[in-house]
Amino acid sequence: MKVSLSWLQDYVTVDVDVVELAEALTMAGLEVDALSDRYAYLDGVVAGRLVEITPHPDADTLSVCKVDVGAGVKSIVCGASNIKKGDLVPVALPGTQLPSGDTIEAGRIRGRVSEGMLCSEAELTLGTDRSGILVLPESSVPGRGVAAALGLSDTVIEFDLTPNRSDCLSVIGIAREVAAILGVPLNYPEVKLPSGETPIEEFASVTIEVPDHCPRYAARLVTEVHIAPSPFWLRDRLNSVGLRAINNVVDVTNFVLMETGQPLHAFDFDRLAEHRIVVRTAKEGQIFTTLDGTERNLTDEALMICDGKGPVALAGIMGGLESEIEDDTTRVLIESAYFNPITIRRTAKRLGLSTESSHRFERGVDPEGIVRALDRAAQLMVQMGGGKLAAGVIDVYPRPIPERVIELSVDRTNRLLGTGLSRDAIISHLESIEFEVEVLDEDRLKVAPPTCRVDIERPEDLMEEVARLSGYNKIPTTQPVSHVVAKEQEKRLRVRDLLRHVLAGCGFSEIVTYSFIGEDACDRLLLADNDPRRRMVSIVNPLTEELGVMRTSLLPGLLTTMFRNSTQRNENLRIFELGRIFLKTGHDELPEEVEMISGLWTGAKHNSTWNVQEEKLGFYDIKGIVDTLCAALNIPHVSFRALKGPGHPYLRPGHAAEVYSGKKSVGTVGEVTGQVLHNFELKQPAYCLDLNFEEVVCLCFEEIRAKPISRFPATARDIALIVDDAVEAQSVLDFIEGLGQELIDGVEIFDVYKGSPIPARKKSMALRLTYRSFERNLTDSEVNSIHAAVTQKTLRQFKAELPAG
Amino acid sequence: MKEELKKTEQEALKSLEATSDRQGVNLLRTRYLGRKGVMTQCLRGISTVPAADRPEAGRLANEVKTRLEVAFREAIERLDADSKEPSGGLDVTLPGRSFARGRLHPITQVTQAISEIFLRLGFEIAEGPNVELDYYNFEALNIPKDHPARDMQDTFYISDDVVLRTHTSPIQIRVMEKRSPPIRIIAPGKVYRVDSDVSHTPMFHQIEGLMVGENISFGDLKGILTTLVHQIFDEETSLRFRPSFFPFTEPSAEVDIQCVICRGKGCRVCSHTGWLEVLGAGMVHPAVFEMVGYDTDRYTGFAFGMGIERIAMLKYGIDDIRKFYENDIRFLEQF
Ligand SMILES: [Zn+2]
């Protein structure tokens, strides 16, 4: 919403600096977005004194002027005849853009140098006269701006209004606030109408078929109108807020719209069939051409203004091409109505059409301001167009908008705000913005807001008015009295924190990616057709197709992040994300949101350093991260099983495992397949972990019980086994543990070897067993005999052999 | 004699313990083991011992002497190793062998910092779904369908009744539906709006706060938010409350803080106003309380919300919000 200071001053006297006023309005809830100099467009136009005028030698109608523009004398070719030597005139210097859009350039006119242009009043949009050059007052200083020379100064104030303040979508609305803030009176424009002769009812009629959509419709008729350009003051007012002047009738409707906030529509009365207005809804699928020439496809929700034959306007949004005001229009029917805000909003939204009118109707216009605005427009139209007014007004008001009366308690106001305002102070704040207040008793007030304040419904709304007018910053700052005892943080928050810090300790940096991804991510991960992760939640209106569905895995985000980093040559990455995935369920309207923790490791295994051989990153490194996490979170009975089957086609077979706690699967870990890397435009091997955070939270065992530790020393013995290649280390460890030998304190695998001299399809596996007692020192012979027995049983179990020699 | 030897040994070892420089150790050594030292005297004294006891005394004396020699030799070796020899030393300027260290995302760090402030103030943390019912995201917050306030937030739709939440406010409703006052919660989380440029990403983070009880006032809201801002930035940062509009609060306020970059003098970051808009807040609208069945005569409360990215950008001096989601490791490793 834009308002010019000069227009504002038609209704209220502003005796403070405009910057100060803007600040005060902002602090009262009307946020000022920008202040701009109305005449900034005249910056390149300076005053110049004509020092010489000679006829152009090669053109009868032109003369060559020498003009002193302060910084020197310019030669300018000019066609006007109203100027003489010694006059001061506006000079548009090269580079200046005129309101017409033309940019002045230095050049030659009929062979003579011309370094600028002398301008008329109309060319500078300072008036209508285009017959000659504007002559500036004698006091003008050559070289200074023409705006200063003419004493022109105006500021355009641009507001960023909140949607509740429809009352401020007008100059008078803003003026009302200014008056309250500055404590000065608000002067409404005086409306005096000629009495008119023939009653309007003899010409026209209005029927509302759908009063719920159109609670009120008023009209006046002006006859014998002469369509012409508006006078300068009216065009200047419209220009000042960025509206284009069209003709006297249309300009008046726009002027009154801006002045009062009430949208009006002017119909060419002679083009209204049967001279009647019918307000009804459209037929489903009906086509209507709005005055911008666009064919609109309507639904039966759209509210139409019709004449005796058919629709003539899309109510409250835009007029139709057929009944537009034309140059030959002589009789004008002015419409001023109150349309149901929801009706207008639905249609405007559906058509994607937002106009000055629809913007105001959607937010609610003043239901009691309808006729006032109509009268104002009629008065101006008679004035501008030299027309005659038909007597009386048509005002069909089948659904009166009830007046609101709200009871306000002084005590409750002060308690909610935390203030100690007196009853009188509250009353005077409310009255300053035209609220009517009646005192019921010491505490209670009966308040009737002005009808333009459609946002005021409850006592709290009144409290806000009091608060904003007395100043939010004057409300004392207090601390709430607390009866709440601080509670322990929820487990999932603690686990989340721990996970993040353990991973960061392992060198993994956290990333955050968008929750939406491209639908093709599933194809890129090679997911099977029946994979549950293919049942994605899609967005109806995505920003782009690549952000079209809610993610069902964090892996695409990690791989995409790896890609983005690889384009920047960031080749060594350890990253993780902790976030939700979204799985469609058959039974619920909302998807299941599952929190996952996923990580990716690619590139170097260690920080680069000197004199140390770079080791290759492998499966056991990423697995080690999972081991560390499980240990840190105290997850019980962790085991890994080689991944089999089609569930995880993005992990390399034989280089990936499923992670279990007991019988519960917690997630997967492994190497990304070459094909999937290729699908994400990656080349470098990458390893990832993908754990279900919900399971992790459940399994994380927070209670710690210290176990006793033995004070006797341990003795170690090794076993080397030659076993089938298929024998998994875990099974050997599980077997030895299952023997139940109490003196075994620990078992550790310290070497696995394949190749000569070990026979094909066999491997050697070396284990170190630690023996220890809680009661005594163990003797060598005791340990030897137990170890021999364990070795024998293990050999037998795995059909293993001892290495030769 | 035996007693005397024992005493001498103890004395020598005690003196040695008390000495930590090479010169002192050498002096002591001369005193005890030198040609005219204490031990030499002792050995000489053996001749005065009765002949029968002489072999025993001699053995003892030699044992003590040997032990002392070992002790002195070790002390000297220790001191020699500690005193650096330039020829055998290391180039200490070569880089150390560091461990990789990961960082938490700046959004996480700021969220945690803010959460901790509220945890200390007795607030609990609540969460809710990202894919949310229109009812919780809008209607229960007093934003009916066809209300112009819906234009304030460009919404991603899943269906007519399901949206990606446009703010963390629906969590307020979900909490109030389940519990009765007093309530003190904060709710951090991801939110989504159809928007993308230098200062907007289609997904961003908010933190919501809600306090409901008896006699909670706008002044209290000012108090809590002042504490918050002072803890995030510093005690010198002033706040400004401006009237605004949110359908779910009344009165509503927009909270500006004095520009932390220019300290209010005016700069590019604050568009030369000296103020930065960081928070939206207000007293919970009675219509919202009615939706969750709270007694509006008895309870009042306040709610507020702020963008995490905005705070992170100010705190870390980041000028492009998209950096948070590009996840360039060189960016992330700065935090
Ligand atoms: Zn600044």
Side-chain angles (χ1 to χ4, degrees):
Chain A
M1 173 72 196
K2 280 185 191 167
V3 168
S4 67
L5 185 62
S6 61
W7 195 348
L8 196 60
Q9 286 186 304
D10 285 353
Y11 318 102
V12 67
T13 308
V14 176
D15 53 7
V16 296
D17 181 61
V18 66
V19 175
E20 209 177 300
L21 177 70
E23 168 84 9
L25 285 164
T26 295
M27 295 313 289
L30 307 185
E31 190 180 348
V32 173
D33 225 19
L35 293 175
S36 51
D37 176 5
R38 160 101 204 269
Y39 295 106
Y41 72 98
L42 291 177
D43 278 356
V45 185
V46 299
R49 189 180 291 280
L50 288 165
V51 290
E52 189 189 302
I53 304 180
T54 48
H56 193 293
D58 303 320
D60 292 346
T61 56
L62 298 179
S63 37
V64 180
C65 309
K66 296 267 184 247
V67 192
D68 174 10
V69 293
V73 176
K74 304 262 177 204
S75 171
I76 294 170
V77 177
C78 177
S81 56
N82 70 317
I83 43 173
K84 59 181 192 302
K85 189 178 163 189
D87 278 352
L88 282 147
V89 291
V91 183
L93 296 172
T96 307
Q97 194 179 26
L98 291 181
S100 63
D102 296 337
T103 301
I104 304 302
E105 279 168 44
R108 280 169 182 278
I109 296 174
R110 295 284 192 98
R112 289 288 156 154
V113 172
S114 186
E115 305 165 283
M117 182 177 133
L118 308 188
C119 307
S120 70
E121 196 178 274
E123 280 159 339
L124 299 177
T125 59
L126 297 174
T128 50
D129 187 1
R130 48 184 72 248
S131 65
I133 302 301
L134 173 64
V135 178
L136 301 174
E138 197 42 43
S139 58
S140 310
V141 181
R144 293 263 201 90
V146 71
L150 289 167
L152 295 172
S153 114
D154 197 4
T155 305
V156 178
I157 311 172
E158 194 170 347
F159 293 91
D160 184 7
L161 292 176
T162 53
N164 57 324
R165 293 306 301 271
S166 58
D167 62 299
C168 288
L169 291 168
S170 65
V171 185
I172 289 180
I174 302 282
R176 186 180 300 113
E177 292 283 319
V178 172
I181 291 167
L182 300 181
V184 295
L186 174 63
N187 310 308
Y188 285 94
E190 206 181 325
V191 182
K192 267 200 200 130
L193 286 175
S195 50
E197 285 162 24
T198 322
I200 184 170
E201 286 82 3
E202 287 183 21
F203 296 99
S205 72
V206 171
T207 315
I208 301 176
E209 287 183 4
V210 281
D212 289 337
H213 293 298
C214 177
R216 186 171 194 180
Y217 195 105
R220 274 189 182 276
L221 181 67
V222 185
T223 59
E224 294 173 44
V225 170
H226 295 286
I227 300 296
S230 301
F232 180 72
W233 72 263
L234 179 56
R235 293 162 51 183
D236 188 56
R237 281 280 178 257
L238 295 178
N239 279 338
S240 76
V241 296
L243 292 179
R244 211 161 49 86
I246 295 164
N247 60 44
N248 47 5
V249 168
V250 176
D251 291 353
V252 164
T253 60
N254 284 334
F255 176 84
V256 176
L257 163 74
M258 290 310 298
E259 184 184 69
T260 65
Q262 171 64 44
L264 303 173
H265 193 75
F267 293 103
D268 183 333
F269 185 61
D270 292 308
R271 301 208 242 138
L272 291 177
E274 298 169 22
H275 291 163
R276 62 193 187 98
I277 291 286
V278 182
V279 185
R280 56 169 174 77
T281 47
K283 291 190 188 74
E284 187 74 32
Q286 189 172 358
I287 307 275
F288 177 71
T289 307
T290 42
L291 60 77
D292 58 358
T294 311
E295 286 193 354
R296 311 278 175 182
N297 200 337
L298 305 175
T299 67
D300 59 6
E301 271 190 335
L303 187 64
M304 305 302 298
I305 308 301
C306 305
D307 63 9
K309 270 197 351 238
V312 289
L314 196 50
I317 303 173
M318 197 180 265
L321 207 49
E322 299 301 311
S323 57
E324 219 191 336
I325 301 296
E326 301 273 2
D327 290 344
D328 59 358
T329 300
T330 57
R331 296 200 288 175
V332 176
L333 185 84
I334 316 168
E335 160 200 293
S336 178
Y338 181 90
F339 299 118
N340 184 331
I342 293 175
T343 307
I344 301 304
R345 180 173 165 80
R346 282 203 183 140
T347 302
K349 241 196 134 125
R350 210 187 59 77
L351 296 176
L353 186 60
S354 178
T355 61
E356 294 281 350
S357 290
S358 69
H359 188 77
R360 286 171 176 79
F361 282 123
E362 276 178 24
R363 283 159 178 73
V365 298
D366 179 357
E368 300 307 320
I370 304 293
V371 175
R372 212 182 315 141
L374 183 62
D375 291 350
R376 174 77 166 146
Q379 173 205 20
L380 290 171
M381 249 177 238
V382 169
Q383 237 170 57
M384 313 284 129
K388 276 194 181 153
L389 189 64
V393 57
I394 294 177
D395 182 10
V396 187
Y397 195 4
R399 288 274 189 285
I401 312 284
E403 224 174 279
R404 285 148 302 152
V405 178
I406 304 159
E407 201 176 289
L408 182 68
S409 151
V410 171
D411 176 53
R412 280 197 67 139
T413 303
N414 280 319
R415 274 196 291 139
L416 186 83
L417 299 178
T419 48
L421 295 168
S422 70
R423 192 186 68 182
D424 288 348
I426 290 173
I427 293 171
S428 87
H429 284 310
L430 291 172
E431 285 179 342
S432 76
I433 44 171
E434 300 181 352
F435 285 51
E436 281 170 29
V437 185
E438 187 187 324
V439 176
L440 295 178
D441 57 35
E442 266 313 299
D443 184 53
R444 291 177 313 133
L445 305 174
K446 211 166 114 183
V447 184
T451 50
C452 63
R453 288 300 303 269
V454 295
D455 58 319
I456 305 291
E457 289 171 343
R458 294 172 178 258
E460 286 74 11
D461 298 324
L462 298 174
M463 295 176 196
E464 181 176 70
E465 295 303 304
V466 171
R468 74 179 181 91
L469 292 168
S470 65
Y472 276 15
N473 292 310
K474 290 211 184 104
I475 296 175
T477 297
T478 50
Q479 287 296 336
V481 180
S482 163
H483 304 289
V484 186
V485 182
K487 288 185 189 143
E488 202 188 3
Q489 253 201 61
E490 232 190 294
K491 184 180 178 189
R492 61 186 301 121
L493 301 172
R494 290 193 302 267
V495 174
R496 227 184 252 158
D497 252 24
L498 185 59
L499 263 177
R500 282 191 169 114
H501 283 107
V502 171
L503 280 167
C506 292
F508 283 68
S509 285
E510 188 185 16
I511 63 166
V512 178
T513 66
Y514 290 150
S515 303
F516 18 62
I517 56 176
E519 197 171 5
D520 63 343
C522 292
D523 295 335
R524 294 212 264 172
L525 287 179
L526 308 172
L527 295 183
D529 287 344
N530 60 353
D531 193 297
R533 284 167 288 191
R534 280 205 181 259
R535 293 212 306 272
M536 297 179 126
V537 175
S538 18
I539 298 165
V540 176
N541 54 335
L543 211 52
T544 66
E545 208 175 299
E546 290 84 65
L547 305 173
V549 295
M550 299 307 282
R551 64 187 177 190
T552 53
S553 164
L554 300 186
L555 298 178
L558 288 165
L559 290 164
T560 308
T561 301
M562 176 176 163
F563 168 73
R564 201 171 292 133
N565 274 281
S566 75
T567 63
Q568 298 296 321
R569 306 247 160 199
N570 305 329
E571 274 144 8
N572 302 320
L573 279 191
R574 274 181 239 189
I575 49 175
F576 75 96
E577 181 164 17
L578 180 57
R580 296 187 193 181
I581 58 168
F582 303 83
L583 303 169
K584 213 184 230 174
T585 67
H587 48 87
D588 215 338
E589 215 172 349
L590 296 182
E592 191 187 352
E593 299 190 9
V594 181
E595 202 160 330
M596 300 292 286
I597 173 89
S598 305
L600 179 141
W601 191 347
T602 184
K605 184 166 167 179
H606 297 293
N607 280 359
S608 69
T609 183
W610 45 281
N611 282 11
V612 171
Q613 196 69 43
E614 180 56 65
E615 283 175 78
K616 239 183 111 196
L617 186 64
F619 169 79
Y620 296 107
D621 296 308
I622 190 83
K623 185 186 167 188
I625 301 297
V626 177
D627 287 334
T628 307
L629 278 180
C630 292
L633 297 168
N634 207 10
I635 292 176
H637 313 298
V638 175
S639 65
F640 293 78
R641 287 183 217 160
L643 262 189
K644 292 192 182 80
H648 307 278
Y650 46 87
L651 292 178
R652 191 174 154 203
H655 295 254
E658 187 146 19
V659 187
Y660 285 88
S661 166
K663 288 195 169 127
K664 188 125 229 147
S665 170
V666 183
T668 54
V669 57
E671 185 177 351
V672 180
T673 61
Q675 183 58 46
V676 169
L677 290 176
H678 178 78
N679 293 347
F680 283 88
E681 298 173 66
L682 299 167
K683 288 203 172 72
Q684 189 170 281
Y687 298 84
C688 63
L689 62 90
D690 189 22
L691 307 178
N692 184 316
F693 175 76
E694 313 291 341
E695 299 292 355
V696 169
V697 174
C698 292
L699 293 164
C700 170
F701 191 70
E702 290 185 294
E703 215 169 300
I704 293 175
R705 289 254 146 245
K707 287 188 215 103
I709 49 169
S710 170
R711 53 192 183 89
F712 298 97
T715 310
R717 293 288 186 279
D718 296 347
I719 313 177
L721 304 168
I722 310 285
V723 291
D724 268 4
D725 206 1
V727 173
E728 287 182 329
Q730 191 65 48
S731 60
V732 179
L733 296 174
D734 290 348
F735 174 75
I736 294 173
E737 203 198 318
L739 292 174
Q741 174 47 258
E742 279 176 23
L743 295 178
I744 297 178
D745 195 34
V747 188
E748 193 183 309
I749 291 172
F750 70 90
D751 188 43
V752 177
Y753 176 74
K754 286 185 230 183
S756 173
I758 311 295
R761 290 191 299 284
K762 299 266 179 189
K763 65 184 169 191
S764 121
M765 193 184 282
L767 300 124
R768 178 158 298 156
L769 281 71
T770 319
Y771 296 90
R772 194 199 299 264
S773 158
F774 269 87
E775 283 103 34
R776 59 204 157 81
N777 279 314
L778 296 175
T779 65
D780 274 357
S781 61
E782 197 180 354
V783 172
N784 287 345
S785 83
I786 299 167
H787 187 68
V790 170
T791 306
Q792 279 315 312
K793 284 179 187 163
T794 311
L795 287 170
R796 217 177 307 134
Q797 173 71 20
F798 294 98
K799 300 189 178 65
E801 291 162 34
L802 291 170
Chain B
M1 180 71 201
K2 216 171 138 182
E3 292 305 306
E4 206 177 315
L5 275 169
K6 211 172 164 185
K7 213 176 117 198
T8 307
E9 184 181 7
Q10 275 169 2
E11 259 177 31
L13 290 176
K14 210 173 143 194
S15 311
L16 184 60
E17 275 303 304
T19 313
S20 58
D21 64 296
R22 205 168 193 278
Q23 203 186 355
V25 173
N26 277 332
L27 277 171
L28 274 179
R29 185 189 177 136
T30 313
R31 193 157 110 216
Y32 285 98
L33 300 171
R35 253 182 298 149
K36 290 174 185 166
V38 180
M39 282 314 292
T40 315
Q41 302 290 335
C42 275
L43 287 168
R44 283 206 191 116
I46 288 172
S47 53
T48 62
V49 174
D53 297 337
R54 233 173 269 165
E56 171 69 4
R59 195 178 55 77
L60 266 176
N62 272 316
E63 274 177 21
V64 170
K65 191 181 172 204
T66 310
R67 281 206 291 273
L68 286 180
E69 275 170 348
V70 170
F72 277 103
R73 195 178 60 236
E74 282 179 357
I76 284 169
E77 279 171 7
R78 194 164 61 227
L79 288 169
D80 280 356
D82 288 352
S83 71
K84 191 177 69 183
E85 291 281 326
S87 59
L90 302 173
D91 177 358
V92 297
T93 65
L94 274 169
R97 311 230 194 262
S98 65
F99 291 92
R101 181 168 74 89
R103 320 297 162 100
L104 301 193
H105 197 279
I107 296 294
T108 301
Q109 295 198 33
V110 171
T111 308
Q112 284 181 344
I114 296 172
S115 300
E116 268 156 34
I117 295 168
F118 282 107
L119 290 171
R120 285 199 294 275
L121 292 169
F123 283 65
E124 291 171 71
I125 294 175
E127 294 181 336
N130 287 216
V131 182
E132 186 54 285
L133 293 173
D134 184 278
Y135 175 78
Y136 286 107
N137 195 73
F138 291 120
E139 277 174 64
L141 289 161
N142 198 28
I143 317 172
K145 281 209 158 89
D146 304 310
H147 192 284
R150 288 215 177 188
D151 291 347
M152 292 166 88
Q153 303 170 357
D154 252 328
T155 312
F156 284 116
Y157 281 91
I158 301 297
S159 69
D160 279 351
D161 301 316
V162 179
V163 301
L164 297 188
R165 69 177 176 206
T166 56
H167 46 191
T168 39
S169 310
I171 302 172
Q172 287 181 26
I173 306 294
R174 286 183 174 271
V175 169
M176 286 194 282
E177 274 186 350
K178 284 197 205 84
R179 293 164 44 177
S180 8
I183 284 178
R184 280 189 183 210
I185 55 147
I186 54 160
K190 292 180 166 63
V191 299
Y192 308 85
R193 290 185 200 174
V194 187
D195 219 343
S196 183
D197 58 40
V198 186
S199 43
H200 298 92
T201 45
M203 180 186 92
F204 57 101
H205 294 76
Q206 275 188 345
I207 198 159
E208 184 87 5
L210 173 72
M211 180 165 184
V212 182
E214 291 175 22
N215 287 318
I216 290 175
S217 72
F218 193 89
D220 296 336
L221 168 63
K222 289 182 71 178
I224 290 280
L225 294 183
T226 304
T227 305
L228 171 69
V229 167
H230 286 176
Q231 297 219 11
I232 299 177
F233 296 102
D234 60 48
E235 302 270 334
E236 308 303 314
T237 311
S238 47
L239 289 84
R240 177 173 97 160
F241 290 75
R242 271 190 291 118
S244 188
F245 170 74
F246 306 107
F248 40 98
T249 51
E250 189 77 29
S252 302
E254 203 83 67
V255 186
D256 300 338
I257 61 167
Q258 189 187 53
C259 179
V260 293
I261 311 291
C262 66
R263 284 281 162 204
K265 287 188 200 76
C267 68
R268 199 179 51 82
V269 175
C270 58
S271 316
H272 304 281
T273 61
W275 294 98
L276 298 164
E277 195 178 305
V278 293
L279 273 151
M283 302 306 292
V284 179
H285 199 291
V288 173
F289 280 156
E290 283 161 12
M291 287 294 223
V292 296
Y294 280 10
D295 178 352
T296 52
D297 282 331
R298 185 166 166 205
Y299 296 117
T300 52
F302 61 73
F304 57 87
M306 74 184 120
I308 307 280
E309 279 81 354
R310 177 97 169 121
I311 305 288
M313 287 168 86
L314 293 172
K315 227 173 137 66
Y316 300 124
I318 298 164
D319 56 9
D320 182 348
I321 192 174
R322 293 171 296 200
K323 289 271 173 287
F324 291 116
Y325 301 104
E326 280 166 9
N327 295 301
D328 188 305
I329 196 74
R330 295 165 300 171
F331 172 78
L332 297 176
E333 282 180 346
Q334 299 175 75
F335 299 96

